Amino acid sequence: MTTETRNDWTREEIAALFDLPFGDLVFRAAEVHRAHHAANEVQLCTLLSIKTGGCPEDCGYCSQSSHADSGVKATKLMDVRAVLQSAAQAKDSGSQRFCMGAAWRNPKDRDMPAIIEMVKGVREMGMETCMTLGMLTPGQARQLADAGLDYYNHNIDTSPERYGEVISTRTFGERLETLENVRSAGINVCCGGIVGMGETRDDRVGFIHALATLPRHPESVPVNALVPVKGTVLGDMLADTPLAKIDDIEFVRTVAVARITMPMSMVRLSAGRESMSEATQALCFMCGANSIFTGDKLLTTGNRGDSADAALFAKLGVRPMEAEEPMRVCEAAE
Ligand code: SAM
Ligand code: DTB
Ligand code: SF4
């Protein structure tokens, strides 16, 4: 078995992994996982929406797009003090990473001073920081790096071929440009996408292929299961065509292939756990998912909640991961 990190995966190799008998795929993913990560340890991250709704982008899955009719109210950017209060609560409940999300196409330069205060304040509490603010210029990425931001989340969401069907207000190439700006600034990359948007197996192959052939694998790979929201293009499409809903086994296969192709990355079982069975989540952990979002809310939709997760961890013998000094990738900036 090879477990080294490779960036030259072919689509055929990835398709062949997806095609493996399920037991073989689970076994192989677990082997790769145990070669690089502590088995039975899962990282806890907490999300906060620091600026909700009213987003000009037309992402077909998102409740926060102004093109959707989801009933989500647009808010202004939160006060720094309120954000830090929320971070302190997350730390008290055992979270290691605080992820702050804003419903922007991109941050305006006038927003940057408050954003920088948030990063510095959360870091001072001893938590890892992550932000997701939309597209960044090279200068904005450097400002965030100077403030000490540990991770930037910017998802490719689906295969390059499917991208234009899900989002029309930006291109896949623009997504890659921001990822490059984040890398060059020396910030760790968090990049993944959504499964269950009515895509084909071939799109899931293309999605993992695009991530696993980046010049450097993202340090975090969030795999979201679509949370169908009424009033969004994809939420309504799934309500009308329930057969398009992703099968649990196919979801687990996607997590396993992410683990095998990106052995060192943290694979985050992200949105969609509220309606996912415990057995499916257990299979995902077995196949190498080693991070989750805690609490009862993601950005605008529900999450499982801490007591349900604690009970699941106890059943499975899973422990919350100890916080570590975040890995820096500053050599990328040299
Ligand atoms: N505006 C920023 C951006 O798009 O980069 C950051 C926030 S956006 C909500 C972050 C990610 O959340 C998206 O890229 C998508 O992968 C995920 N997401 C959004 N809505 C979702 C939904 N209904 N179900 C599952 N994942 C979702
Ligand atoms: C990611 O990939 N998943 C998180 C985080 N990055 C920002 C967001 C999930 C959002 C789910 C839908 C909502 O709550 O609005
Ligand atoms: Fe805006 Fe991000 Fe939602 Fe797209 S995913 S509509 S960019 S908040």
Side-chain angles (χ1 to χ4, degrees):
M1 188 208 35
T2 104
T3 65
E4 92 270 22
T5 300
R6 290 175 46 197
N7 303 74
D8 62 351
W9 290 96
T10 64
R11 274 184 91 117
E12 291 69 30
E13 285 176 305
I14 293 176
L17 289 173
F18 267 100
D19 282 343
L20 282 173
F22 187 67
D24 295 353
L25 178 61
V26 172
F27 181 69
R28 195 155 155 199
E31 267 189 316
V32 173
H33 183 55
R34 282 157 188 257
H36 296 284
H37 305 268
N40 308 312
E41 284 194 8
V42 171
Q43 177 196 47
L44 307 182
C45 307
T46 301
L47 261 178
L48 176 69
S49 181
I50 58 172
K51 193 272 162 210
T52 306
C55 183
E57 303 276 56
D58 69 351
C59 313
Y61 47 78
C62 188
S63 63
Q64 305 196 70
S65 165
S66 55
H67 303 256
D69 187 13
S70 64
V72 167
K73 295 247 169 348
T75 67
K76 288 204 198 118
L77 180 63
M78 279 173 75
D79 279 343
V80 176
R81 229 173 21 169
V83 171
L84 296 184
Q85 264 171 9
S86 191
Q89 278 167 14
K91 181 159 168 82
D92 285 348
S93 26
S95 200
Q96 294 144 32
R97 187 179 299 180
F98 196 63
C99 307
M100 295 160 268
W104 284 326
R105 175 172 164 84
N106 52 266
K108 305 229 169 19
D109 284 339
R110 65 162 191 263
D111 301 315
M112 293 308 283
I115 294 291
I116 285 166
E117 283 315 301
M118 292 173 194
V119 173
K120 288 186 172 162
V122 174
R123 254 196 144 232
E124 273 167 23
M125 290 175 196
M127 264 189 294
E128 291 180 349
T129 50
C130 179
M131 286 216 153
T132 178
L133 313 169
M135 295 190 253
L136 293 183
T137 63
Q140 288 173 329
R142 275 196 301 274
Q143 278 182 283
L144 292 172
D146 290 344
L149 183 70
D150 298 302
Y151 290 82
Y152 195 77
N153 168 241
H154 201 66
N155 290 344
I156 58 164
D157 279 325
T158 188
S159 65
E161 301 75 38
R162 179 97 204 284
Y163 200 77
E165 286 171 39
V166 177
I167 301 149
S168 79
T169 49
R170 59 170 186 256
T171 62
F172 195 83
E174 284 176 307
R175 231 42 197 171
L176 297 182
E177 261 174 52
T178 291
L179 290 171
E180 182 47 42
N181 294 340
V182 169
R183 264 279 174 248
S184 306
I187 301 171
N188 290 298
V189 169
C190 171
C191 181
I194 311 180
V195 182
M197 297 195 289
E199 74 281 345
T200 60
R201 158 74 71 86
D202 197 44
D203 286 317
R204 288 186 283 279
V205 169
F207 160 57
I208 299 287
H209 179 255
L211 291 172
T213 55
L214 285 170
R216 228 173 142 139
H217 293 163
E219 281 72 21
S220 287
V221 177
V223 182
N224 297 278
L226 178 74
V227 180
V229 177
K230 202 163 170 279
T232 62
V233 174
L234 287 164
D236 291 347
M237 187 273 285
L238 275 181
D240 293 343
T241 48
L243 283 180
K245 192 180 174 299
I246 186 137
D247 174 68
D248 284 351
I249 297 294
E250 183 67 12
F251 183 83
V252 177
R253 281 185 186 273
T254 311
V255 170
V257 177
R259 165 51 68 225
I260 294 168
T261 53
M262 293 173 278
M264 304 299 290
S265 307
M266 301 292 291
V267 175
R268 183 166 314 113
L269 184 53
S270 301
R273 287 195 310 116
E274 199 180 25
S275 58
M276 196 179 284
S277 73
E278 292 196 333
T280 301
Q281 294 185 56
L283 277 170
C284 289
F285 295 141
M286 219 165 128
C287 289
N290 58 351
S291 177
I292 58 165
F293 286 121
T294 60
D296 49 19
K297 197 168 173 206
L298 295 166
L299 293 173
T300 65
T301 65
N303 196 23
R304 269 187 112 229
D306 290 346
S307 49
D309 283 341
L312 177 60
F313 277 25
K315 254 193 235 185
L316 301 177
V318 165
R319 303 177 294 280
M321 198 174 282
E322 295 290 328
E324 275 178 23
E325 233 346 79
M327 173 174 33
R328 299 296 297 173
V329 287
C330 295
E331 71 268 29
E334 283 162 12

